[in-house]
Each structure stands twice: as C-alpha cells, then as structure tokens.
Amino acid sequence: MSRSADIVAGAEQRLAAAPVPEEFEKGTSLWEDAWHRLQRNRLAMISLFVFSAIVLFCVIGPFLSPYDAEAQDLLKGAQGPSAEHWFGTDTLGRDLMVRTMEGGRISLLVGLIATLVALAIGVVYGATAGYLGGKVDATMMRIVDTLYALPFTIFVILLMVAFGRSLWLIFVAIGAVEWLSMARIVRAGVIGLKKQEFVEAAVSLGYSHTRIIVRHLIPNVLGPVIVIATLTVPAVMLLEAFLSFLGLGVQPPNASWGVLINEGQQNMEIFPWLLMFPAFFFALTLFTLNFLGDGLRDALDPKSAKD
Amino acid sequence: MSDSDTALREDFLVLENVEQHFDLGRALLTRESKGVVKAVDGISLTIREGEILGIVGESGCGKTTLSRTIMQLIRPTSGRIFLEGKELSALSDADIRAERINFQMIFQDPYASLNPRLTVFTTISEAIRTRHPDVRGEALRGRVIELLRTVGLNPAQMNRYPHEFSGGQRQRVAIARALAPEPKLVIADEPVSALDVSIQSQILNLLKRLSREMGLTMIFVSHDLSVVRYIADRIAVMYRGRIIELGRAETIVDDPRHIYTKALMSAIPQPDPRAERTRERILLEDEPPGADKSPGKDVEDDLEEVTPGHLVSTRPFERRVKEAEAPAQ
C-alpha cells in the first residue's frame, strides 16, 4: 500500500526470524495497578494497618493474656483500669481486656464469614442471572425482590424461634440478607459486560457457559464487589451488634462487641470503662473498614475517584 | 497444509436466503406489534475457499448482524448456512460449540475485544488449546511465541496485559487469538475502523499476508469501500439487509452498476488533487420515512447477472439522486 507498510512488513519478517527471547517482560495486571494506587492513599493504608493490628490483637491477644475470658473473680468485680487489669474488670470480675479480645474475635468472625457467605452466593447467583438473561433472569431477580421485602428483624426472630439461638444461625441470617444486594450489583455488572466483544470472542472460541462466567465475567466485576464486601463487613458487624443488643445474638458466656456494649451501657454511669473499651474498638474497626472500602473503590475504579 | 491446497472448495461457505429479524415486541397497552427489524433480509452467497470477500455498506445496513449470524453468535431467523458442506444453522447449541474452532472472528474494537484480566500469553494459549487441548508447557509456549511473531508482536512482551499495548498492537493480539484455533474461516468485522489511519494499513497488510500464507478464507466487513477494495477479491455491497451488488473487486470499483454503489464509489476521495477536484459526486436523497418497516414478503432472488460473476439487484431503488455533479474548478 505504501512505503511505510513495506517497512513494517520488513520489521515483521525480521521479528519472525529473531531467536527465542531470553527474558520476558513482566506485565502489570489491573490488580497490581490498583494495589499501587491504594498504597498512595495514606488514609486507606493507615486504616489497613490499624485494622490488621486490631485483628492481631483479638486473635493472638487471648493467648498472651494471663486471664481467662470466663474466669470470674467476684472479689475484684467492676474495678477500673489498673496495672493488673489494663481495661479493668466487669461486674463479675472478668478481665475486660480478654473479654474485648474474645468479643472482637466473634464480631470479626461474624463480619467475615457472613460477608463471605453473601459474597459467594451473591456472585454466583447474580452472574448466572445476568449471563443467562431473559426469563431465567427475571425469575431469579423476582426471588431476590421478594426476599428483600422481608423485614430483617422479624426474619431473624422467626429463625431464632424456629431453630434456637446459635452463632451459626446468625451467620446464616445475616448472610441470607446481605447476598441480595451483592447479587444485584454482580448482575448489573455482568449485563454490562456480556455485550463486550471479549465475551463474544470467548463464545466464538467455544468456551462453556461456566468457563465464560468464571473466567471472563466474574473477574471483571470483582472490583466493585470487593468494595461492597469491604463495606459489608462493618455493616454485618453492626447488624450482629444490633441483634446482640436486643438479646437475639450471641449468648453469654460468649461475648461479641455488641454484647459487651450492651452490658456496658447498663452500667454506663457507674463503670464507664465497661462501655468505653469495647465501643472504642468497635468504632475503630468500623471506621478503618469504611476508609479502606473508600480507598479500594478509588483504587479499583480510578475513573470514579474524586480529587 | 493438507490436500485442500490442491482442490479448493468452490462452495466453502454457503448462505441460503439467510434472514435475521428482530421482533421489537408489543406495545404495552394496545398489544400492537411494534414491528420487525429486518437486519438481514434474505441473503444468499457462496464463498470460495481461500478468497477474501469484502462486505461494504453504510452503518445499520446489517453487515455486522450478518457477520454475527454467520458466526452463530445469533442464530438466523431463517435460511441455512453451510461451512464445508456442514449445515451450521441446523446444529444444536452444544454441537455448535465444538464446531466453533473452525470459524473465528476479529472484532472492531481492540480495546473491548480482549479480556483485561488475562495476559496476552493466557489469552492466546487458551485459544490454542481449544484445538489442541493436550499441548502444554514448553510446547504451548513455543506455539504462542510463533503465533505472536506471525502477527508481528514481540514475544518478550507476552506476559503483559492488554492495557499495556497500543490499539494496533491489541488488534494484532486479537488477530493472533483468532488464528490460534487454526480456523478455516475468519470474519473480520471492521477490524481497522477503530485504529489510526497509519496503523490501518499495517493491519490490512498483515491480514492480506496471513490470508495468502495460511490459505484462509476471509470475510472482511467495512463501511469503507477504499479499505475493502484494497484487501478483497470480491465485494458484496449491502443495503438495508440485502445484497444489491456483488462481483470481483475490480469490477465493482471500475464498473459499478447500481446507483447506490456508484454513490458509495463517488464518496472515496482521490489521492491525486487534480482528480479529486474533478471527482464526480453522487449524493442520494434521504431514505423515505417508514422505509425500515417494509411489509410483506419480498422477491427472494432479485440479483441479475450483468456480466459473468457480476450480480446487480433488480429491485426498484427508492432513493433518488439528489445531486450528480463534477464540481467545476
């Protein structure tokens, strides 16, 4: 066509004759790009650090503490913070620091597991509905709408009445509610994606539906999903605290932060530390997760970042 | 290659009265049909093995729908499509999947046609394994390297992700992916229209060279007649879901018979400024309103052979010439 085309053709031929390259350049995936952007976000990185510290504190702490979370010492009941008991003791003489750690374990566990349950169900369900489309999609999403309409508190109370109180039931109850929004987000993302040519290319290569969903659609909607998941963890922890506050959640002698805060508020005017310490850790966790979620959103979708 | 080199099939790809109609559904209250869009409205074509057929037409004429229909990305409303004698349009969705490695597509937008989460190596190696599922490790790597070289990419960059390449390079990756399953037919749907003009010629030359070297049969779809006449052996001109003129590329370019083809030809700027000044311009009137809902069944075969291999539509053409003048200068 032109001289420049000849030059390019010549370059192509030289390239074809070149020996096997010794070294391969390393590519930067979109995940790595996002991680670099996140690292530049100071608030998000501090939050990540503080959150990790809280997790370590709660997970490892009880092993290092000389006290047992359930060991009562009524002679030392309701003492303020001291060198012996850093966070003080509760009305039954239990060390509040260990109780805060143990409560944190349960609160974090509820937050993480319920979110993971919601994530797993929501992603698979939403991606399937969005990909298949048509009547299947309509039916699947009407089911979601119906479940959305159920009042959460009544749903949980019914579950508790029917199956008795247990920690697992809390996971199920919260997970069952939280996956709905996850499914909607994933479905919307998949519907947007499946019109993209790379999905048509995958169809053209004869890949199976499962493979297209798992390998080509889900990884590309995971960005917003991760953000939502990060913001769901604190929401779930709040829900659990709310349930425990109502007495529907974790049962004594087990404690979550919600239970501790409930106990604390009963004696708020006389023994304020009983409320302060668990509330402080709970609030700090919620703050850091929210900041981290915001940071992730900016990092994963740089276009939406506001300057 | 195999013995197919010695005996090229005349009826490599056959379309028999292919139609692709989209129902617009019914109005909410009156339940009246909103009508049917006839994106592809009765197309019959026979494509020889190893030839490049160019399909031109304005946007909305159904050329992209036609390529997606041949690709079986949308199954035809009616009509039959045969590839090497096998009727694709009759296969079930499950059977068509196994058949897909034989016909591949190069898409228009290289920014949308590559999965952004996969490296070039992953994208291409997975495409290779659709035909050769047992190839892995060093052998697979060798094939990927070879393929990347064929399309003019540096194999040292194969662990990169699509966003780390330019548009032209991405289109080369997309071409490599289309070639990876060793298809017999490649459909290129506007493969250069998203690229810079300087890159367009590189990609066109690459496609031309590849089809010659590999004996590929290619359907090249574009709105740009100047691009199509450069690459194609034969050209089909599409208008409103039908072919209105079909013939060898030189014939269509030098001796267009249909007024629409003449109008298309007259829109190509001439490189020579003197020729450009005296170029004849044919402008057509706008489409009559409501013309897109033409009711009733049309004559099935309205193409008339004016000279051997040169077919022109005999249907009355509703658009009149508005202006036909050689601008005086």
Side-chain angles (χ1 to χ4, degrees), chain A residues 243-259:
Chain A
L243 289 179
S244 297
F245 194 87
L246 291 182
L248 291 167
V250 178
Q251 298 305 310
N254 281 329
S256 70
W257 281 337
V259 172

Side-chain angles (χ1 to χ4, degrees), chain A residues 1-2 4-6 8-9 12-13 15-21 23-33 196-209 211 215-217 219-223 300, chain B residues 68 71 73 97 100-101 103-105 107-110 112-118 122-123 126-127 130 141 145 149 151-161 163-164 172 177 181 201-202 204-206 209 230:
Chain A
M1 190 180 243
S2 66
S4 70
D6 292 340
V8 171
E12 278 167 10
Q13 274 154 23
L15 198 56
V20 176
E23 272 180 44
F24 291 92
E25 289 173 32
K26 169 112 180 50
T28 313
S29 72
L30 294 180
W31 298 122
E32 287 167 283
D33 271 353
Q196 297 250 2
E197 289 179 344
F198 74 84
V199 178
E200 286 197 314
V203 175
S204 304
L205 283 163
Y207 294 153
S208 67
H209 291 323
R211 178 164 179 176
R215 194 142 174 84
H216 296 274
L217 292 174
N220 283 294
V221 291
L222 225 45
L300 288 165
Chain B
R68 278 171 167 67
M71 284 299 296
L73 290 170
R97 258 183 51 206
R100 284 192 184 279
I101 52 177
F103 47 98
Q104 285 295 307
M105 187 149 173
F107 293 87
Q108 176 172 9
D109 182 2
S113 66
L114 299 170
N115 185 340
R117 304 280 169 190
L118 301 180
T122 315
T123 296
E126 288 186 357
T130 54
R141 226 167 67 125
I145 290 173
R149 286 211 174 111
V151 299
L153 284 170
N154 183 356
Q157 300 175 336
M158 71 184 186
N159 290 328
R160 291 211 207 162
Y161 290 83
H163 67 270
E164 298 172 289
R172 287 173 192 264
R177 175 185 57 195
S201 64
Q202 296 178 14
L204 286 177
N205 283 316
L206 173 67
R209 180 167 65 79
Y230 172 69

Side-chain angles (χ1 to χ4, degrees), chain B residues 12-142:
Chain B
F12 181 72
L13 177 73
V14 178
L15 309 189
E16 276 181 14
N17 201 27
V18 171
E19 294 186 343
Q20 188 64 264
H21 294 179
F22 297 109
D23 195 342
L24 294 179
R26 288 177 181 282
L28 187 63
L29 293 177
T30 58
R31 311 305 297 163
E32 264 173 37
S33 171
K34 288 186 192 163
V36 173
V37 171
K38 298 177 175 176
V40 175
D41 193 16
I43 283 190
S44 300
L45 259 183
T46 303
I47 296 169
R48 231 172 293 126
E49 189 168 2
E51 88 169 325
I52 302 181
L53 175 80
I55 298 180
V56 270
E58 60 194 29
S59 37
C61 74
K63 53 194 195 301
T64 294
T65 308
L66 178 64
S67 40
R68 278 171 167 67
T69 307
I70 299 173
M71 284 299 296
Q72 304 295 318
L73 290 170
I74 346 167
R75 309 306 286 271
T77 312
S78 70
R80 309 206 289 172
I81 300 171
F82 299 87
L83 182 67
E84 288 193 299
K86 188 179 255 178
E87 189 181 347
L88 297 181
S89 46
L91 293 177
S92 69
D93 284 354
D95 290 337
I96 204 83
R97 258 183 51 206
E99 208 59 39
R100 284 192 184 279
I101 52 177
N102 292 323
F103 47 98
Q104 285 295 307
M105 187 149 173
I106 299 165
F107 293 87
Q108 176 172 9
D109 182 2
Y111 291 88
S113 66
L114 299 170
N115 185 340
R117 304 280 169 190
L118 301 180
T119 63
V120 166
F121 174 80
T122 315
T123 296
I124 294 177
S125 60
E126 288 186 357
I128 289 174
R129 294 186 60 183
T130 54
R131 187 175 290 273
H132 304 284
D134 303 327
V135 179
R136 46 175 65 88
E138 273 306 305
L140 184 61
R141 226 167 67 125

